[in-house]
Amino acid sequence: MKYSLLLPIVGALAIYAPATHALSAPEVAKLAKQSTIRIESAASPGSGVIIQKSGNSYTVLTAAHVVRNRNNTYQAMAFDGGGGTITDIKEFPNRVDLAIVRFTSNKNYAVAKLAKDSSEVAEGSTVYVSGFPVSAVITEAIFNFTEGKVSANSSRPLSDGYSLVYNNNTLPGHSGGPVWNDRGEVIGIHGKGDIDSKQQSSEINPNIRVKTGFNLGIGINTFAQLSGQVGLSGFGGTTVATTNQTRPVDDLLVSGLFKLQSRNFNGAIADFDRAIQLEPTRATAYQYRGKARAYSLQEKILQNSAYLSNLYGQLLNDFDQDGDVLLYKQFQPELRAALADYNQALKLDPKSSASLQGAAEIHIGFGEYPQAIQLLNRALQLKPETETYALRANARLKSNDIPGATADINKAIGLSSKDHSLYGVRAEIYSKQQQFQKAIQDYDRALGLVPKNERFRILGYSISKVTAKFNAKDYKGALTDITSVIDSKDAQSAPALTPTLYMLRGVLNFNLDKLPAAIQDINVAAKLDPKNSIIYFFRGAIYVKQEKYPLAQADFQKSIQLTPDFAEAHILLGATYVIQTEFAKSIPSLDRGIQLAEGKTSKRELLAQGYEIRGYAHLLTSKRSQAIADLKRSVQLYKALKNTAKVKEIQSRLDNMKNTGG
C-alpha cells in the first residue's frame, strides 16, 4: 500500500479532530465553515450544523422555530452551494427549541465536534456563532462567522431549553446556527438573536439597528440529554453535564432576558434587580436592566401622539422640531433611569459597545447630541462597527452636521452594504438637504433589502418614501403609493399607524385639489387619533381652501389647545381672522406664531408669511409704521429664501405706500 494515499485522510482527521488547546478565530472559522448549513424556505432562512453522517445522509441540528412550518419546503445548503432537500424533521420534546433535520448529498461535508459539557463555559469566555444571515438577493449561500463573549450560562435551562447568553453580533438567518468554543467544539445552538430580538415594531429610531448586546442559545447538554428521544444514538452518554454548580446570577440574567424577549418587561426588570442585589459588580446586569427599562416604554411610545406627530412633521418640512425630543421628555424619569443603568454598566465595563450605544441612543432622544457623539467616539475607538457609525450619523444629522452625518453613514454602508436600515438613515440625510429624489432612491434600496416579515420597517420606509415624494411635489406618485400602503398587509401589522396613513392621503388629496376626498381621509384620521394636533391643523387648512373659515378657526384652535407651541397653527389662525376682519383676534395669534417661529431655520418661510400677514393686518387697521416694519422684515426673509416674486410683490406695496402716504 502506498502510504502517501493516506495523507489526505490523515490531514482531514487533523483538521476535524477536537483541539485540546485554544484555537485562533480563523482556525475555528475554518472548522465552522465545513459543517455549518443554511436552511432555506419561503419564510425567513435559518442555519444549522451537521452533527452526524451515515453514507450520503446528513443529520443537522438547528432551532425548532426555523423549521416549524410544515407547509414550507426546506432546503439545506452548505458553504459551497451544495446540499439537498430536507426530508425529515423531528422537533425535540418538552417544547425545547431544538430540531434535527436530514438531507442527502453525494458531497463530503464535515461533522462538527460537540463539547462534552456546555455548563463549564463561564462568563467572559470567547465564543463564536456561525451561520448564513439574510442578504439582499440570495443567489448563493454566504457564510458568516462572528466573535463575542459569554455574558451568562444558566445552571437551570429555561422551559424551551435556553441557557446561554453571549454578545456576538448576529442577524436574522443566524437562528439555528452553532455556537463554538475556542477549541472548535459546538457548545450550543443559537436561537434568539441580537437584532431579531428587538421590539422592531416600536423602535424609537426605526431606521437604526442598535445592538441589544445579548443573544440566547441552547446549551449542547440539553441536546445530549434529549437526543435519544428523537431517535439519535451516541450522544447521551458522551455529552452530559458533569458539574452540579449553581449560578444564581446567571440564572436570573437568562430568565430576565427570556422575559424581555417575551415582552414581560416588569418580570425582566424584577429579575435584573435581584441579579444586581446578588452581584452589584456585574456590568451586564445593569446593561440588560437599562435595555429592559427602555423597551418597557415602547408600546407607550408607539401609541403616543408625539411619536406620530414626528412622522407627520416631515409634511411640514420641519426638521428643527424633533418629535423624538418631545417624546423622550414625556417619559423622562423612566428613560433617565435606563440611562443611569447604562452609565453604571460603563463604570464596571468601559469597553461595552452595547452600553455605549444604548446610552448614546437615549442622549440622542433627549437632544443631547454632544454627549451622544462623545460616547459613540469611544465605541468607535474600540471597534468600527456599523451600528455605531449609523447612530453617530443620526446624532450629527440632528445637530445639523450634515457633512459629518454623510461621512458616517457612508462608512456604515461600506461596512454593511446589505443593511437596509442604513439606506433609511441616508435617505433622512438627503431629505434634510432637500435632495428628495436621492432620498426616494435610498428608500427604494431599503425596501428592496428588508426581509418580508419585517412589516413595520417596510411600512416605515413606505411612509417616508411617500413624504419624500410629497416634498418633491410628486403628489400623484405619492397618492398612488399611499393608497397601496393603506391596502397592504404591512399596514395591518401596525394599526396604531393607520391614522398616519389616512392623514398622509388626506394631505395629498388636498394638494391635488381633491378636497372632499381630503376631508374624508382627515376625518378618519381624527376619529382614530383625536389627540393629534397636526390632524386638526391640516383639516383647518383644507377648510381655508374651501373658504369655510369658522370651521377652519375651530380646527386651528383645537390644534393649539393640544399643542400650544404650534407656530403654523397660530399663524394660520391669525390669517383667517384677518380674512374675516377680526383684527383684534388676529394680531395676538400672529404675534405668538411669529415668536415661536423666530430663529428657527426650517421656519423661515413660515416666518416670512407671518410678518407679511401681520403687516397687512396692521395696514388694514391704519397702523402704518408697524405695517412697514413687518413688510420690510418679510422682504428680508423672502430675499434669503430667494423668492423673488414675493420680494417684488411686497416691495411694490411698500413703494406705493411711500409714494402715496397710504
Side-chain angles (χ1 to χ4, degrees), residues 148-209:
K149 299 287 185 182
V150 171
S151 303
N153 186 2
S154 175
S155 57
R156 293 180 296 149
L158 300 172
S159 59
D160 56 0
Y162 286 97
S163 60
L164 284 169
V165 184
Y166 37 95
N167 65 5
N168 305 54
N169 288 342
T170 60
L171 290 164
H174 270 121
S175 290
V179 184
W180 306 82
N181 63 17
D182 60 5
R183 295 194 298 272
E185 300 167 334
V186 176
I187 62 166
I189 293 298
H190 172 68
K192 299 184 179 183
D194 184 11
I195 285 174
D196 51 23
S197 68
K198 286 186 70 86
Q199 311 304 322
Q200 292 176 348
S201 65
S202 53
E203 263 181 273
I204 295 173
N205 291 314
N207 281 341
I208 300 176
R209 296 179 181 271

Side-chain angles (χ1 to χ4, degrees), residues 18 49 93 141 165 219 227 238 247 283 295 365 370 379 453-454 460 489 547 563 573 631 636:
V49 61
V165 184
S227 59
T238 57
R247 297 190 177 102
Y295 276 7
N453 65 326
E454 292 192 26
K489 290 182 179 179
E547 299 183 359
T563 305
L573 177 60
L631 293 174
Q636 292 175 345

Side-chain angles (χ1 to χ4, degrees), residues 271-282:
D271 281 345
F272 299 141
D273 285 343
R274 290 174 59 199
I276 289 169
Q277 290 171 2
L278 290 172
E279 190 176 337
T281 58
R282 189 76 164 259

Side-chain angles (χ1 to χ4, degrees), residues 469-480 507-508 511-512:
K469 284 189 174 183
F470 171 89
N471 286 318
K473 303 190 186 312
D474 178 12
Y475 303 132
K476 289 183 179 180
L479 182 62
T480 299
V507 173
L508 290 165
N511 280 275
L512 291 167

Side-chain angles (χ1 to χ4, degrees), residues 37-39 47-52 57-64 66-68 70 74-76 85-92 98-104 232:
I37 293 295
R38 179 181 184 85
I39 298 175
S47 302
V49 61
I50 297 172
I51 59 169
Q52 202 172 63
S57 176
Y58 291 90
T59 300
V60 175
L61 180 61
T62 185
V66 171
V67 291
R68 184 152 286 155
R70 296 297 191 270
Y74 296 97
Q75 297 287 331
T85 300
I86 289 173
T87 56
D88 185 22
I89 300 174
K90 291 182 180 179
E91 294 189 31
F92 276 52
L98 288 175
I100 56 168
V101 303
R102 292 188 173 91
F103 72 95
T104 59
L232 293 176

Side-chain angles (χ1 to χ4, degrees), residues 324-500:
D324 284 350
V325 173
L326 298 175
L327 181 58
Y328 269 65
K329 287 181 178 178
Q330 290 190 30
F331 298 103
Q332 184 157 185
E334 299 99 321
L335 288 166
R336 289 293 181 193
L339 182 60
D341 275 341
Y342 283 130
N343 288 337
Q344 182 61 28
L346 288 169
K347 286 182 181 178
L348 296 168
D349 181 9
K351 295 184 178 181
S352 170
S353 61
S355 296
L356 288 165
Q357 290 179 9
E361 187 180 24
I362 293 177
H363 279 302
I364 291 171
F366 282 124
E368 297 164 354
Y369 308 123
Q371 295 94 317
I373 291 170
Q374 185 178 28
L375 290 169
L376 296 168
N377 289 344
R378 284 173 55 188
L380 287 169
Q381 288 173 357
L382 295 170
K383 187 178 181 181
E385 292 185 306
T386 300
E387 300 90 346
T388 315
Y389 278 119
L391 267 177
R392 196 172 69 175
N394 189 41
R396 286 176 162 174
L397 169 65
K398 292 185 175 182
S399 58
N400 290 314
D401 178 7
I402 303 301
T406 302
D408 274 346
I409 201 59
N410 286 335
K411 285 179 181 176
I413 290 172
L415 289 171
S416 186
S417 63
K418 305 302 183 184
D419 187 341
H420 58 83
S421 65
L422 304 179
Y423 295 101
V425 177
R426 194 168 69 179
E428 285 189 31
I429 295 171
Y430 283 138
S431 291
K432 185 160 186 178
Q433 295 174 293
Q434 298 190 15
Q435 297 183 38
F436 298 116
Q437 292 303 327
K438 288 185 176 180
I440 291 165
Q441 290 172 2
D442 268 350
Y443 285 129
D444 281 334
R445 289 188 181 99
L447 286 165
L449 292 169
V450 63
K452 292 181 180 180
N453 65 326
E454 292 192 26
R455 293 195 178 279
F456 186 82
R457 286 187 180 276
I458 294 171
L459 184 60
Y461 294 142
S462 298
I463 292 173
S464 296
K465 180 182 173 183
V466 167
T467 58
K469 284 189 174 183
F470 171 89
N471 286 318
K473 303 190 186 312
D474 178 12
Y475 303 132
K476 289 183 179 180
L479 182 62
T480 299
D481 285 357
I482 196 62
T483 299
S484 297
V485 172
I486 288 173
D487 296 335
S488 71
K489 290 182 179 179
D490 304 314
Q492 296 170 16
S493 69
L497 288 182
T498 301
T500 307

